[in-house]
Amino acid sequence: MMKNSSRKKGLIRSFFSLVLIAGTVTAVAPTAAQATPVCQTVAFVTSCGGVTSDGAQYSMTAAANFNGTVFIYSHGYRPWVNIEAGKIPTASLRGGYTVNNLPQPGPLPGGSTAVIQSLIAQGYGVMGSGFLRQGWNAESAVKTNVELIGLFKKTFPKTTKVVAWGESLGGFITQALHEAHPDLVDAVVPMCTVAGSIEASMKSAGDALWLLKTFFDSSIVGHSYKSGDEGRQQAITDIQKIFALAPQIQASLVTGAWPASSGAVGKALASIPPRSALLLTGLAAGLPPQSNSFDGTTGPGIRDSADYSRFAIAASPALAMLENVIEAGVLGVLVTHDLESQLGGAYFDNTATDYGALIAEERVIFNLGLSGEDAIGAMLQVLGTAAVAPRWKANPTAAANMKKMLTHKGVFAKPTIALHGVADPAVSVGNMQWLIERAEDQYRKDVADNVRKVLKGESTDRASRKLLAVINPTPDEYTTFNGALPVSKAPGTTTGTGHCNFTTAQYLAIAQLAANAADTGRIPSAAAANRVLRKAGNMFVDRNYFIPLQKFYASAE
Amino acid sequence: MKSISLRRRSVAATAIISMVALFASTFPASGSNTAGVTRTEIKLGTTVPQTGIAAPGYSKVAPAMQAFFNYVNANGGVHGRKITLSIKDDGYNPKLAVSKTRELIQRDRVFAIVGALGTANQKAVSTLLRQNRVPSLFVNTGFSEFADKGKYPFQAALFPSYMMEAKIMAEFISSNPDFKGKKVGIIMQADDFGTDAQKGFTQQKFKFDKVIRYPNGQQGEADKVDLWISDLKAAGFGSGDVVIVFGVTTATAAVLSAARRASFAPQWVLGSVGADATTIAGINPLLLGLLNNSIGASFLPDPSDVSDEYIKLFAEINKTYNKNVPFDFNVVAGMNTAMMMTQALHAAGPNLTRTGLMSALERNGKDFYSAGMTSLGYSTTARVGYNGYWFGKYNARGELKPINNQVIIYTTDSGNGAVTKSDKITRKPMPDKGLPK
């Protein structure tokens, strides 16, 4: 058994802590719709607030030493519905959540405004909106940001360069702004970003929810939520069920017993440890096999012992998946509920999904964790049996509407610096790989175009890469043990894990590179970037670093 | 006109730069054919279990390779370059194999991987090798798919495939009058290793009276292994009946331990990668008694056969360069792998490139001299290592001796080809000092 069973608490802090304190950095509280910002200057720092024409609140700040470069920040996903106190047992949500539209002008690592304050002190301007609607709001957020950039330039006429940055959904908004309005930005920083389409990430979420439901609790709704408050309650109840599964699966590491809620599937697979089904769930969904507390490779005691190997190979990846499934599952439920309400019904469809194909490589790497080929075969057989594992069919209208959602083209007009943790459970690092591959395609095309032009005797600009992909790795080994028992770590402890789990120093290093890129019009060389990144710690650039694509994209190739 | 000509030169220069950049972007930098090669050094790497459940025995393979390379270096190296070997411990954990291989390629910047070990581990790293265009030669596994150049363009296995081994084992048992009318069971690893073998038995239409499949690693759980033995006994197996163990040596040791506890003594037939006597004795010396009279298959000569010129050379190198560790199958396998790698590097020529190395293997690999008792199948279309085995019986000292003092070589393929038997060994004589000319 885990030593600290309260590990799950606060796992989704990274989403919601931002929401709860966002307002604290706004110097001037906006009032009713204001065409022009209301500003005040205190100790040489001018802070302005207001609402854009669509009604979104914003804040913008620059000091007397403003150097002309401003950072426009797009925040990540915030729930679009209220959550009552006591419903979800995380530190940030235990007291409840009320939909929050407060503006956020920069990242808030660990709830601190240090990044924003440091940028202002260095002479940069900062701004950010709260956006009008919460939930998945990329299309409207891009419009809000366009207006906000104009407002800032008008308010601070010294503005010469604009760096757009954002995290998660905010990273998606940032890249979408870049693609739609390249003339408005000089450098772009999508961090821990959703890339390409939200459909790709929601395929992973849908698979994770369906597999959780199928293996562990058939009463999880997971999709096709009802409209109105009834649907909201269904979603909250689903989150509660996912949390409730955690201790049961954890206990099964010792007992081998399936949760009572797993019903017929649990009985059919009784000879297989539930941890293997959980591992299959996470692997098929593309979740990382290491987490904040579990590195997936080490065990207790001496390395040559059977206990060490068994834990390292079989238990650790499953425990890592447990931490990750909770984090991904909670966000998956919230966004599914949100998107279904926007798209007019269930958009996820796994009637044609081959779960064996989804784990084709992983079943080799995690063969023992999955309890061997026979167990894998038995689990896949259950997943292919309609009577016990009915697939989810999409509402055709909703599925068609999903295809109409804003997507990225994968074009890079301005220098772009992406940053992603390699074991991000909520938005896979495979999203950054999608950007990398599109940027390489563009670079090759630019080079080929240049060659054609040169052969025709036309002059050209030298082709250059536009994307610098910064990797935030995990340590090689970091699971700690108290005797034979693994010790849970406080959320956010392990670099490279968690969603958008970056430090103040890391954000500031990325900001420094982005500001330089905005000035020069080019991304820095890998060597120059690595000098800055190493100083901040746990980041590097390496074009040959292999990152698997997100499952959705990999299976589409 | 001067300005136009300057512009044209500038345009031409841009074109060249662009073309260079285009190719540079098509082939990743670490796929550069000179990574890991300097005027004086060839940097190689390997991932092997130095710790963990499979470490007993297998942990000796990489140091033995290192010893042979040191011997080569002391004799002038390859085209004047010394060979260095970076050894990474993967704990026989595929996930760790991926991260350690990544370290070898991206941090240590090795030229190539040699003698990496384990079917699952090496399947797991194949994408990484392909992505970085890094050759991994003489992979210590018999997984038949590694012969597929299209699927694994940068890997080449060394062992006869497990499918070949199973076909040969089926033929050996079926044609042996001592086993007529006996029950035959098998304990096999339930992953690609075992599945590959299963294909071979199926190909030969070989029927088992009892099949026990286990996930690799479960051999560390004594209670589970006891169940395997009680299952065999419950199925009526007894003295004289045949039980094949198709797993790694630690699994064989676990099975023999459980059999000893249960006083179960069938005729054991042990797979080639799972019967290293010194490893078994290291786990429990009492198991050597049970190993006595077990049947084993090998493609290498018996390490105790000092009349064999390869064994004699390896034993000398072991004394001088390998701290004179107990000389066994793993030491022989490691040195034999290093000997073949040395030839591959030599055949690739002084202008060493990764593509040149792969070409050298395809072009010359089948003619490499080695301690192996059968021929090699490397070609431009396949990455097949050895193609057969001889069978022997272990004595009380754990030495594998030819049955009836006669070495019969069984050969076949990984398809539907027949199993052939021969008492002729086609091995090439070892050149002077075992070094390529």
Side-chain angles (χ1 to χ4, degrees):
Chain A
M1 291 288 287
M2 299 277 301
K3 187 177 171 60
N4 179 1
S5 63
S6 66
R7 171 181 47 74
K8 64 191 178 186
K9 295 171 183 171
L11 273 174
I12 54 172
R13 179 186 59 94
S14 52
F15 307 116
F16 302 113
S17 62
L18 301 183
V19 174
L20 298 175
I21 63 171
T24 63
V25 295
T26 311
V28 179
T31 55
Q34 293 157 312
T36 54
V38 176
C39 300
Q40 66 180 36
T41 301
V42 177
F44 305 106
V45 176
T46 300
S47 298
C48 309
V51 292
T52 51
S53 59
D54 64 358
Q57 298 176 37
Y58 64 82
S59 79
M60 50 177 67
T61 304
N65 64 340
F66 178 46
N67 61 20
T69 298
V70 62
F71 285 80
I72 178 168
Y73 178 82
S74 296
H75 68 70
Y77 189 86
R78 297 177 187 172
W80 71 295
V81 292
N82 294 336
I83 298 169
E84 294 89 343
K87 293 279 187 182
I88 296 178
T90 63
S92 56
L93 290 176
R94 196 179 300 117
Y97 162 80
T98 305
V99 175
N100 181 340
N101 297 327
L102 289 173
Q104 186 181 338
L108 301 167
S112 163
T113 58
V115 173
I116 297 166
Q117 287 166 358
S118 176
L119 290 175
I120 294 168
Q122 290 178 59
Y124 296 111
V126 298
M127 62 173 150
S129 170
F131 304 127
L132 179 61
R133 180 202 183 276
Q134 298 314 315
W136 188 261
N137 56 9
E139 213 145 344
S140 66
V142 170
K143 288 178 189 157
T144 302
N145 278 351
V146 168
E147 186 176 343
L148 189 52
I149 290 169
L151 279 169
F152 191 93
K153 287 179 173 174
K154 203 170 166 186
T155 309
F156 298 95
K158 275 179 65 181
T159 306
T160 54
K161 302 287 180 191
V162 175
V163 176
W165 66 339
E167 298 179 88
S168 195
L169 161 63
F172 186 94
I173 294 165
T174 298
Q175 176 61 17
L177 172 69
H178 176 200
E179 293 185 359
H181 302 280
D183 51 320
L184 291 183
V185 296
D186 298 282
V188 183
V189 184
M191 297 179 286
C192 42
T193 188
V194 176
S197 72
I198 183 60
E199 185 184 10
S201 288
M202 295 318 292
K203 171 72 171 72
S204 286
D207 284 331
L209 290 173
W210 182 78
L211 288 162
L212 276 178
K213 174 186 172 80
T214 301
F215 280 133
F216 298 114
D217 187 349
S218 59
S219 73
I220 289 175
V221 177
H223 86 139
S224 214
Y225 290 105
K226 292 181 177 167
S227 59
D229 196 57
E230 208 176 343
R232 184 185 71 90
Q233 292 293 355
Q234 282 181 309
I236 291 171
T237 304
D238 271 358
I239 292 171
Q240 290 174 318
K241 285 178 178 172
I242 291 170
F243 272 92
L245 281 174
Q248 297 181 66
I249 295 172
Q250 201 172 291
S252 77
L253 287 171
V254 175
T255 64
W258 283 70
S261 55
S262 60
V265 170
K267 286 190 180 72
L269 299 174
S271 62
I272 298 167
R275 64 166 166 77
S276 294
L278 179 73
L279 184 57
L280 188 149
T281 297
L283 293 172
L287 299 182
Q290 60 190 112
S291 66
N292 182 48
S293 303
F294 300 100
D295 55 28
T297 50
T298 58
I302 58 168
R303 284 178 186 270
D304 287 332
S305 69
D307 284 347
Y308 181 98
S309 293
R310 198 160 47 242
F311 188 92
I313 299 175
S316 188
L319 285 166
M321 218 46 105
L322 187 59
E323 280 191 336
N324 289 337
V325 159
I326 291 171
E327 186 158 355
V330 171
L331 189 63
V333 167
L334 289 170
V335 183
T336 300
H337 175 230
D338 170 14
L339 286 173
E340 285 187 348
S341 76
Q342 293 192 47
L343 300 174
Y347 55 83
F348 174 80
D349 192 316
N350 67 348
T351 51
T353 301
D354 178 353
Y355 285 96
L358 283 182
I359 60 162
E361 284 201 17
E362 291 84 353
R363 73 191 293 170
V364 176
I365 300 176
F366 298 97
N367 199 271
L368 179 59
L370 294 166
S371 295
E373 281 299 307
D374 296 350
I376 295 168
M379 289 188 284
L380 291 175
Q381 190 176 7
V382 163
L383 298 180
T385 306
V388 288
R391 299 293 179 102
W392 287 346
K393 194 166 173 52
N395 170 325
T397 306
N401 286 339
M402 171 59 100
K403 300 284 181 198
K404 294 176 194 164
M405 296 284 277
L406 180 63
T407 58
H408 292 154
K409 297 181 188 74
V411 294
F412 304 83
K414 296 296 168 66
T416 303
I417 299 172
L419 169 66
H420 220 117
V422 297
D424 184 331
V427 177
S428 105
V429 68
N431 281 273
M432 186 166 78
Q433 183 63 22
W434 186 89
L435 291 178
I436 292 169
E437 293 186 8
R438 299 294 78 74
E440 281 299 300
D441 289 346
Q442 177 179 311
Y443 174 64
R444 289 191 179 111
K445 182 177 177 301
D446 288 349
V447 170
D449 287 348
N450 275 2
V451 171
R452 273 193 292 275
K453 283 182 184 172
V454 167
L455 293 176
K456 286 183 188 170
E458 298 170 7
S459 63
T460 65
D461 292 326
R462 186 180 168 186
S464 61
R465 286 190 166 82
K466 294 287 195 303
L467 176 70
L468 186 78
V470 179
I471 294 148
N472 169 216
T474 62
D476 286 344
E477 298 179 358
Y478 54 85
T479 307
T480 51
F481 295 88
N482 183 358
L485 298 176
V487 177
S488 289
K489 298 178 191 296
T493 301
T494 306
T495 189
T497 69
H499 184 45
C500 309
N501 178 26
F502 309 124
T503 65
T504 297
Q506 288 173 327
Y507 283 116
L508 289 174
I510 294 293
Q512 180 191 332
L513 292 173
N516 289 343
D519 279 344
T520 63
R522 304 174 69 87
I523 59 169
S525 70
N530 276 328
R531 277 194 293 276
V532 174
L533 297 171
R534 284 200 194 102
K535 209 169 164 187
N538 297 312
M539 293 189 292
F540 66 88
V541 169
D542 183 344
R543 273 202 295 119
N544 298 313
Y545 191 87
F546 174 71
I547 301 170
L549 264 174
Q550 196 174 11
K551 294 277 180 192
F552 178 86
Y553 296 124
S555 58
E557 284 189 337
Chain B
M1 282 168 43
K2 194 173 179 186
S3 61
I4 290 176
S5 116
L6 273 177
R7 183 176 161 272
R8 279 189 182 151
R9 251 187 274 169
S10 162
V11 164
T14 306
I16 291 165
I17 290 165
S18 300
M19 284 175 172
V20 169
L22 176 64
F23 284 111
S25 65
T26 305
F27 299 102
S30 76
S32 156
N33 289 332
T34 55
V37 180
T38 67
R39 197 172 54 79
T40 57
E41 182 190 14
I42 301 166
K43 196 183 281 185
L44 303 177
T46 192
T47 57
V48 283
Q50 295 300 100
T51 59
I53 45 168
Y58 290 164
S59 63
K60 295 168 79 173
V61 173
M65 283 199 283
Q66 177 104 62
F68 190 87
F69 289 138
N70 289 342
Y71 166 74
V72 172
N73 293 342
N75 284 276
V78 176
H79 297 303
R81 295 184 178 104
K82 309 281 187 206
I83 303 170
T84 56
L85 181 67
S86 179
I87 301 170
K88 301 286 182 191
D89 176 16
D90 64 20
Y92 211 48
N93 178 344
K95 183 171 182 288
L96 214 48
V98 172
S99 63
K100 294 300 174 185
T101 303
R102 187 197 295 276
E103 267 183 37
L104 286 173
I105 295 170
Q106 293 174 348
R107 193 182 299 173
D108 298 355
R109 304 280 177 191
V110 298
F111 169 67
I113 313 280
V114 58
L117 196 146
T119 300
N121 290 17
Q122 297 316 304
K123 269 190 84 171
V125 302
S126 62
T127 306
L128 190 60
L129 295 170
R130 193 166 56 242
Q131 176 94 2
N132 288 276
R133 307 174 70 83
V134 174
S136 177
L137 299 195
F138 311 119
V139 176
N140 277 308
T141 168
F143 181 53
S144 61
E145 271 190 24
F146 284 130
D148 183 345
K149 181 181 169 181
K151 197 165 181 183
Y152 299 96
F154 294 95
Q155 286 163 292
L158 177 61
F159 292 2
S161 75
Y162 300 125
M163 189 174 172
M164 288 179 193
E165 184 169 356
K167 285 171 68 179
I168 287 169
M169 212 175 250
E171 172 63 24
F172 173 78
I173 294 170
S174 305
S175 62
N176 193 323
D178 294 346
F179 303 144
K180 196 171 170 62
K182 302 292 184 186
K183 288 181 187 298
V184 182
I186 186 167
I187 299 171
M188 66 199 306
Q189 201 166 293
D191 59 8
D192 285 314
F193 174 21
T195 303
D196 209 31
Q198 184 66 58
K199 283 183 199 164
F201 288 117
T202 304
Q203 172 65 33
Q204 296 303 102
K205 299 182 171 58
F206 193 80
K207 302 283 183 209
F208 288 105
D209 297 289
K210 181 73 185 173
V211 176
I212 294 169
R213 290 164 56 88
Y214 65 93
N216 181 35
Q218 201 175 73
Q219 67 266 32
E221 299 173 54
D223 55 334
K224 294 271 170 54
V225 183
D226 285 339
L227 281 178
W228 306 346
I229 300 300
S230 56
D231 280 356
L232 284 164
K233 289 175 86 169
F237 278 76
S239 178
D241 289 328
V242 178
V243 178
I244 298 169
V245 182
F246 218 99
V248 297
T249 298
T250 48
T252 304
V255 167
L256 293 179
S257 294
R260 183 169 174 271
R261 284 193 292 274
S263 302
F264 180 59
Q267 172 61 61
W268 299 106
V269 177
L270 308 176
S272 62
V273 298
D276 182 63
T278 55
T279 304
I280 289 172
I283 292 168
N284 183 352
L286 295 174
L287 297 180
L288 271 187
L290 283 177
L291 189 64
N292 185 26
N293 218 34
S294 295
I295 290 169
S298 180
F299 56 89
L300 288 170
D302 174 16
S304 65
D305 182 2
V306 290
S307 68
D308 186 291
E309 59 180 342
Y310 287 89
I311 294 297
K312 197 174 164 190
L313 173 70
F314 292 164
E316 284 170 9
I317 294 171
N318 189 52
K319 273 185 203 157
T320 310
Y321 295 95
N322 202 28
K323 300 174 186 168
N324 202 20
V325 299
F327 190 72
D328 59 18
F329 173 84
N330 294 297
V331 175
V332 172
M335 290 195 186
N336 187 55
T337 299
M339 177 184 257
M340 295 177 72
M341 189 65 182
T342 303
Q343 293 172 83
L345 292 168
H346 187 267
N351 298 321
L352 192 56
T353 65
R354 285 173 171 162
T355 47
L357 181 68
M358 296 308 294
S359 299
L361 179 77
E362 291 180 349
R363 199 176 53 243
N364 304 91
K366 68 179 182 347
D367 297 321
F368 287 166
Y369 55 84
S370 85
M373 307 288 268
T374 73
S375 57
L376 295 158
Y378 300 118
S379 73
T380 54
T381 55
R383 300 276 164 72
V384 181
Y386 295 113
N387 70 345
Y389 288 93
W390 60 275
F391 287 93
K393 276 198 172 182
Y394 290 93
N395 63 22
R397 292 188 298 279
E399 297 163 350
L400 187 67
K401 298 296 179 190
I403 295 170
N404 301 325
N405 292 318
Q406 192 180 16
V407 174
I408 304 291
I409 306 291
Y410 291 70
T411 57
T412 188
D413 60 14
S414 297
N416 55 10
V419 176
T420 61
K421 289 191 238 182
S422 171
D423 58 1
K424 290 191 174 57
I425 300 167
T426 55
R427 189 173 72 172
K428 291 172 73 174
M430 191 177 77
D432 185 34
K433 295 171 128 183
L435 297 167
K437 292 286 179 287

